[in-house]
Amino acid sequence: MIQPQILPEAPFSPHRLNKYGSLHTCGNGRIGIRGCHEEAYTDQQRGMFVAGFYHRANTTEVTELVNLPDIIGMRIELDGESLSLLSGTLLSYQRELRTMNGELYRELVWQSPAGQRFKIETRRFVALSPLTLVASRLTVTALDADAHLCVSTGIDATLTNSGRQHLNECSVRVFDQNVLQGGYQTTDGQQQAIITSQCLFPARASSSFSSKNRQLLQHISLPLSAGEAVTLEKFSWIATSLDADFLPENTFAARCLKALLEHAQQGYGHLLMENTRHWQHYWQASRVCVASDDPQDQRALDFALYHLKLMIPAHDARASVAAKGLTGEGYKGHVFWDTEIFILPFALLNASEQARKLLEYRYLHLAQAQDKARQNGYQGALFPWESAFSGEEETPEFAAINIRTGQRQRVASALAEHHLVADIAYATVGYFQATLDTEFMQQMGLALLKETARFWMSRAEWRDDRLAILNVIGPDEYTEHVDNNAFTNYMAQYNVREACRYLHEFNHEDAAFFAQAEDFLTHLYLPQPDVQGVIAQDDSFLSKPQCDLTAYKSRQGTQAILLDYSRAEINEMQILKQADVVMLMQLLPAQFTPQCQAASLSFYEPRTIHDSSLSKSVHAIVAARTGQVAQALQFYREACRIDLGEEPHSSDDGIHAAATAAIWTGALMGFAGLDYQSGELHFRPSLPQGWTRLQFPLCWRGTRLTVSLEPRQLTLSKTDARPLKVWINGISHTFTESLILKGSHDEN
């Protein structure tokens, strides 16, 4: 297998410190460590996060993912000069994330202000096994003459979440004159973290320790002979009270110490080799390969697959995927609908047990969702728009202060953006279709489907002779408090219909529920296509005035329109952050004709600014499915550049996790035409010009398949001889070990 592409940094620039801090994150689904430089820079945002480790700083704040004490920072002094790429002269520079094994590598030659040249190499990774281990290595060579090296590093608990302090320092210890251990506790005493670090260095070095101002540091000093490479290795063990074997705390700290020493003695090289082996297994099982006239297409796919591995907490159903993964403080580490709609499909079709855990996360908080529904006057389960560890609503009540008015605007999402409820049901159905996991369905899935359906049946109101869903916000958050949002109504109908289907299938008897559901499905208003095939986004959208969006489209993703119009004004015009109807057709393509999909795409795209990072990938999928392949490729490549593009601050507070997953989704559901929601595998291939091959793996009901698309050939192969039926361009084919179809397969 050709190695996944590395992700290099452009020439060093202080303006891109935080963008690459996010892009170059190292992690494993449990821990995420931002790709910051070892040395300090004023604007550099350090960050280490553990999935599920949340805390509320005070009653005026919402819960957020805690930025844990830093273990990466180093003060490196060379002949008394502190290493900084902003001083002296940077003679050569290479920094890259090696996605094939999760290692962040940097090599540079720096000339100090005094004129002495040094070669410096830094390397680090977060282990895929064990999930608690972090390893780093520093190598320094004096190139011109003998010199002296001083390194200070350890555990720095001065880090905060943008000024909010979450942790108290409870204990700091030095063991055997070479191991540091810090114990930390959230200010409410509910969560604990124990961080243990050890440095290995040449025997001739001297070492001392200090503990001051929440910094537990080791200071290492040694002479450098000209031309000699000197190496320091550092290993850290990151444990928290979320770990299954945490109690009792006093013996747990000792076990952390013992575990770290056992791994550290293996050395950086051996541990990296083991980590490479784990990553190779992942890439062999999951990598999507494209032969394209633009190498950035493969780089984007490798970037997406790398970060998908980092963001999904496969080890613990109590945690889910934050909007920024584990790469930054953005959105305070909260979980949105992004997980079920954009991220879960990747897990489902590659490692379905991970998708199950993401749905278990919702099931574990079903009681809280039922409480929220009751508090708002509804039945069933109303899941929080923003979720963290407790399952309570975490959406802030007010947005940031408007610097022009001095006022805060109320955030309406938690009150009206209810489509998340149906999104969870949609993911539940998709999971069962792809796995036939009856145990999950009986233990969790049926309850999720029934309680979400009960919510919609209580949410709808009679208007004349039909049921309407009033005062909602769809995915397009520029249009608030509307009636009969098409996305919401169709997804609610899907939710209730599929709940009935599976409750019947599993012999779940509830006559009152089925009677209420039948009434709901009969009378719920579903906006229908007009004579051009366009479905109205909501009751009022088509009657609103249009606006020339040309200037704003050129600055899409920046929400520049909010500088010229208030949200109230935007709400009264045909202006979309993302197009709800296009999103609906991506999720439920079987319910709409290709003509209707094409007409709605054509109508809504000029009215869409694409200020949402999710918008372009959705447009790419629908465009590909409706035969507009060149336009689909344009949308797709623009979606790939959301984090990877030239904008220096696009990802400062973390990558866009859902948009990253949508790079994978866009390739498979767009250009391969994959659809599985109906319970059968459908493909409608439409390779764009310049793509000569698209190959990817899938896991479907326990069978592993490899799909290979070329302009005039489609090949499917699998690992067992059980017959499998698939649909290619609407025609069914059943095969055992392989299926090869020759000819053109790009019709729609």
Side-chain angles (χ1 to χ4, degrees), residues 188-245:
D188 61 2
Q190 297 301 304
Q191 297 270 33
Q192 291 84 41
I194 297 175
I195 299 176
T196 314
S197 292
Q198 180 184 31
C199 289
L200 302 180
F201 45 85
R204 68 177 186 271
S206 61
S207 172
S208 63
F209 302 89
S210 65
S211 176
K212 184 179 180 181
N213 298 330
R214 297 172 61 91
Q215 292 179 313
L216 177 61
L217 301 176
Q218 184 171 14
H219 311 280
I220 301 161
S221 177
L222 72 162
L224 299 176
S225 299
E228 177 192 10
V230 173
T231 295
L232 179 152
E233 295 184 348
K234 181 179 180 181
F235 306 93
S236 298
W237 195 264
I238 314 301
T240 78
S241 49
L242 296 173
D243 298 334
D245 57 347

Side-chain angles (χ1 to χ4, degrees), residues 25-334:
T25 294
C26 295
N28 56 18
R30 178 183 178 271
I31 298 172
I33 298 180
R34 285 175 58 81
C36 297
H37 295 265
E38 282 73 12
E39 66 277 9
Y41 297 98
T42 302
D43 296 327
Q44 183 171 245
Q45 298 171 8
R46 296 191 179 278
M48 179 169 73
F49 309 94
V50 167
F53 197 98
Y54 289 94
H55 178 250
R56 184 191 305 271
N58 56 63
T59 56
T60 65
E61 302 284 349
V62 297
T63 301
E64 59 189 339
L65 195 63
V66 176
N67 195 345
L68 292 170
D70 177 58
I71 57 171
I72 298 301
M74 291 183 175
R75 180 179 176 88
I76 302 169
E77 290 189 1
L78 300 159
D79 269 358
E81 299 276 3
S82 292
L83 172 67
S84 171
L85 305 189
L86 300 179
S87 66
T89 305
L90 188 58
L91 300 176
S92 68
Y93 180 80
Q94 175 190 3
R95 192 167 187 254
E96 60 192 32
L97 177 66
R98 296 176 170 175
T99 55
M100 74 287 288
N101 63 5
E103 183 186 44
L104 180 57
Y105 175 87
R106 180 178 67 158
E107 181 182 299
L108 59 93
V109 175
W110 179 70
Q111 186 175 45
S112 73
Q116 173 79 300
R117 293 181 306 138
F118 298 91
K119 179 181 178 182
I120 298 164
E121 178 189 86
T122 60
R123 310 172 72 167
R124 68 174 179 261
F125 66 90
V126 176
L128 294 188
S129 179
L131 295 174
T132 40
L133 178 66
V134 181
S136 60
R137 185 164 80 177
L138 167 70
T139 302
V140 179
T141 307
L143 297 178
D144 298 322
D146 293 352
H148 198 85
L149 169 67
C150 293
V151 177
S152 295
T153 187
I155 306 170
D156 180 1
T158 64
L159 264 66
T160 65
N161 284 70
S162 301
R164 289 177 295 277
Q165 181 60 258
H166 290 285
L167 297 175
N168 289 326
E169 184 183 64
C170 300
S171 65
V172 289
R173 293 283 303 277
V174 175
F175 295 92
D176 300 326
Q177 292 301 302
N178 68 353
V179 181
L180 311 176
Q181 188 173 78
Y184 308 91
Q185 187 176 70
T186 53
T187 55
D188 61 2
Q190 297 301 304
Q191 297 270 33
Q192 291 84 41
I194 297 175
I195 299 176
T196 314
S197 292
Q198 180 184 31
C199 289
L200 302 180
F201 45 85
R204 68 177 186 271
S206 61
S207 172
S208 63
F209 302 89
S210 65
S211 176
K212 184 179 180 181
N213 298 330
R214 297 172 61 91
Q215 292 179 313
L216 177 61
L217 301 176
Q218 184 171 14
H219 311 280
I220 301 161
S221 177
L222 72 162
L224 299 176
S225 299
E228 177 192 10
V230 173
T231 295
L232 179 152
E233 295 184 348
K234 181 179 180 181
F235 306 93
S236 298
W237 195 264
I238 314 301
T240 78
S241 49
L242 296 173
D243 298 334
D245 57 347
F246 179 75
L247 296 174
E249 184 176 345
N250 57 340
T251 60
F252 184 71
R255 294 201 304 273
C256 291
L257 177 65
K258 181 174 183 291
L260 174 68
L261 295 175
E262 290 174 352
H263 285 86
Q265 69 181 2
Q266 299 176 45
Y268 185 93
H270 176 79
L271 293 172
L272 178 63
M273 183 173 62
E274 285 295 299
N275 208 53
T276 301
R277 182 173 60 83
H278 289 295
W279 271 103
Q280 285 177 339
H281 176 75
Y282 169 73
W283 286 114
Q284 289 168 358
S286 305
R287 193 182 185 208
V288 179
C289 297
V290 60
S292 169
D293 58 2
D294 186 346
Q296 293 298 329
D297 294 334
Q298 184 64 63
R299 178 165 291 165
L301 283 162
D302 287 342
F303 166 80
L305 270 289
Y306 171 82
H307 273 283
L308 281 161
K309 181 66 173 175
L310 268 57
M311 70 176 70
I312 299 175
H315 64 290
D316 192 345
R318 295 173 298 169
S320 187
V321 182
K324 299 292 184 180
L326 297 172
T327 67
E329 296 180 19
Y331 291 108
K332 302 187 184 299
H334 292 174

Side-chain angles (χ1 to χ4, degrees), residues 513-547:
F513 173 87
F514 289 126
Q516 187 180 7
E518 182 180 1
D519 191 51
F520 177 89
L521 295 172
T522 300
H523 294 98
L524 178 66
Y525 172 64
L526 298 175
Q528 297 301 304
D530 63 14
V531 292
Q532 281 79 37
V534 176
I535 292 177
Q537 176 164 295
D538 57 66
D539 284 352
S540 59
F541 185 82
L542 298 183
S543 64
K544 295 175 180 177
Q546 296 185 45
C547 176

Side-chain angles (χ1 to χ4, degrees), residues 186-501:
T186 53
T187 55
D188 61 2
Q190 297 301 304
Q191 297 270 33
Q192 291 84 41
I194 297 175
I195 299 176
T196 314
S197 292
Q198 180 184 31
C199 289
L200 302 180
F201 45 85
R204 68 177 186 271
S206 61
S207 172
S208 63
F209 302 89
S210 65
S211 176
K212 184 179 180 181
N213 298 330
R214 297 172 61 91
Q215 292 179 313
L216 177 61
L217 301 176
Q218 184 171 14
H219 311 280
I220 301 161
S221 177
L222 72 162
L224 299 176
S225 299
E228 177 192 10
V230 173
T231 295
L232 179 152
E233 295 184 348
K234 181 179 180 181
F235 306 93
S236 298
W237 195 264
I238 314 301
T240 78
S241 49
L242 296 173
D243 298 334
D245 57 347
F246 179 75
L247 296 174
E249 184 176 345
N250 57 340
T251 60
F252 184 71
R255 294 201 304 273
C256 291
L257 177 65
K258 181 174 183 291
L260 174 68
L261 295 175
E262 290 174 352
H263 285 86
Q265 69 181 2
Q266 299 176 45
Y268 185 93
H270 176 79
L271 293 172
L272 178 63
M273 183 173 62
E274 285 295 299
N275 208 53
T276 301
R277 182 173 60 83
H278 289 295
W279 271 103
Q280 285 177 339
H281 176 75
Y282 169 73
W283 286 114
Q284 289 168 358
S286 305
R287 193 182 185 208
V288 179
C289 297
V290 60
S292 169
D293 58 2
D294 186 346
Q296 293 298 329
D297 294 334
Q298 184 64 63
R299 178 165 291 165
L301 283 162
D302 287 342
F303 166 80
L305 270 289
Y306 171 82
H307 273 283
L308 281 161
K309 181 66 173 175
L310 268 57
M311 70 176 70
I312 299 175
H315 64 290
D316 192 345
R318 295 173 298 169
S320 187
V321 182
K324 299 292 184 180
L326 297 172
T327 67
E329 296 180 19
Y331 291 108
K332 302 187 184 299
H334 292 174
V335 179
F336 293 75
W337 71 301
D338 307 21
T339 299
E340 283 75 24
I341 296 301
F342 291 91
I343 297 164
L344 186 141
F346 167 79
L348 176 58
L349 297 176
N350 286 273
S352 60
E353 68 279 2
Q354 296 180 15
R356 174 170 171 154
K357 277 193 167 63
L358 295 177
L359 289 170
E360 285 181 19
Y361 169 83
R362 296 297 189 182
Y363 178 78
L364 290 172
H365 300 310
L366 182 59
Q368 290 87 344
Q370 290 169 320
D371 287 342
K372 183 183 177 183
R374 282 193 293 270
Q375 291 165 10
N376 285 271
Y378 304 121
Q379 299 175 9
L382 174 55
F383 285 90
W385 177 244
E386 297 184 32
S387 182
F389 189 76
S390 70
E392 305 292 339
E393 180 63 71
E394 300 291 353
T395 305
E397 185 177 357
F398 293 96
I401 297 174
N402 184 305
I403 59 175
R404 292 182 175 179
T405 66
Q407 303 297 314
R408 293 182 185 270
Q409 179 176 325
R410 186 176 293 274
V411 177
S413 298
L415 303 174
E417 199 158 356
H418 293 160
H419 65 82
L420 166 73
V421 175
D423 302 333
I424 292 171
Y426 179 90
T428 301
V429 171
Y431 172 79
F432 182 73
Q433 296 283 25
T435 63
L436 298 182
D437 185 347
T438 57
E439 179 189 57
F440 163 82
M441 209 61 171
Q442 291 168 335
Q443 294 180 357
M444 289 173 273
L446 292 179
L448 287 172
L449 290 175
K450 184 175 183 181
E451 292 306 296
T452 51
R454 290 182 65 236
F455 166 76
W456 290 116
M457 292 188 292
S458 68
R459 180 69 168 82
E461 301 177 38
W462 284 101
R463 285 293 182 269
D464 299 323
D465 58 349
R466 67 188 186 189
L467 285 170
I469 301 179
L470 308 177
N471 188 28
V472 298
I473 304 172
D476 166 39
E477 294 170 335
Y478 281 175
T479 309
E480 296 184 341
H481 303 295
V482 296
D483 298 338
N484 292 317
N485 171 260
F487 182 91
T488 303
N489 284 31
Y490 272 95
M491 291 294 287
Q493 187 233 26
Y494 178 88
N495 189 161
V496 176
R497 186 185 72 215
E498 294 301 301
C500 291
R501 171 187 174 185

